[in-house]
Amino acid sequence: MIKVFEFQIVTKALNTLEQFFAKGIQSVFTMDEALTEFKKVSDLSGDSLTNYTQELGDLGETVARITSEMINSATQFKKSGFTDEQSKSLARVSELYRNIADDAITSEESAGFLVSQMKAYGNETEQFAMHTVDAINKISNEMATSSTQFLRIQFWPTQKRAVRCGIH
């Protein structure tokens, strides 16, 4: 009976170790995918890219996000024509929106929503993006709506939006 118990303990320890390594490997692949996408839209390389990702990681810590999520957000802003520095600061705001979102949304969805609002209102500043997040948070806290409904409505096809709003 003691040998069975010892076998279970050793097996459980090995399984835990295996899961730990699997998560570490997955994190490396996730980070590599994020960096690969970012490199497609940025001119940064070498030390400047390393410093940039470190800065994104540091910003991510302030909003409880990992570096690959911050890179994914920054990539979306770069794709929309923002500079590296703008993308970095807007990625932080985008991840703040994810934190207040009532449903799980991706970095890409969050950044895409903010880009569309900034472009629609012709104000592409970090202050406007933060104001947008604050306003959505306030409305979702005070009204019978969720913060992600704004995101979901925006990406509906136009015809569905028109029917939903009673415009035929």
Side-chain angles (χ1 to χ4, degrees):
M1 184 69 167
I2 293 176
K3 290 199 182 251
V4 171
F5 183 68
E6 288 174 354
F7 178 76
Q8 283 180 321
I9 290 174
V10 170
T11 302
K12 189 166 192 128
L14 289 174
N15 284 338
T16 302
L17 189 61
E18 179 185 11
Q19 290 173 358
F20 175 76
F21 283 119
K23 285 181 182 178
I25 291 169
Q26 183 58 42
S27 294
V28 170
F29 283 128
T30 302
M31 181 71 159
D32 185 56
E33 288 174 12
L35 277 173
T36 299
E37 286 301 309
F38 184 77
K39 287 178 190 176
K40 291 178 184 177
V41 294
S42 176
D43 295 330
L44 296 177
S45 63
D47 287 342
S48 59
L49 179 62
T50 302
N51 292 337
Y52 187 80
T53 56
Q54 180 62 46
E55 291 170 8
L56 280 172
D58 293 344
L59 279 175
E61 288 179 15
T62 66
V63 291
R65 294 293 175 184
I66 59 175
T67 305
S68 61
E69 292 171 320
M70 295 297 290
I71 292 170
N72 287 336
S73 286
T75 300
Q76 294 306 310
F77 288 108
K78 281 294 293 175
K79 286 179 180 179
S80 299
F82 292 91
T83 67
D84 291 321
E85 288 305 309
Q86 290 172 319
S87 296
K88 182 173 44 176
S89 60
L90 289 170
R92 182 184 159 280
V93 177
S94 174
E95 294 304 319
L96 279 173
Y97 177 53
R98 285 186 66 202
N99 287 346
I100 64 133
D102 296 319
D103 298 321
I105 60 174
T106 66
S107 297
E108 292 83 358
E109 288 174 321
S110 177
F113 173 74
L114 288 176
V115 166
S116 68
Q117 297 307 300
M118 293 164 75
K119 300 261 184 197
Y121 287 96
N123 189 339
E124 298 181 3
T125 64
E126 180 183 0
Q127 291 77 17
F128 180 78
M130 194 65 214
H131 171 73
T132 302
V133 171
D134 288 340
I136 290 170
N137 190 36
K138 182 177 180 179
I139 291 168
S140 69
N141 288 338
E142 296 176 1
M143 306 285 182
T145 186
S146 79
S147 58
T148 51
Q149 283 179 320
F150 296 100
L151 173 90
R152 303 291 184 228
I153 289 170
Q154 177 185 355
F155 291 116
W156 285 352
T158 306
Q159 183 179 7
K160 286 183 182 178
R161 226 181 292 157
V163 169
R164 176 75 182 228
C165 296
I167 305 168
H168 303 296

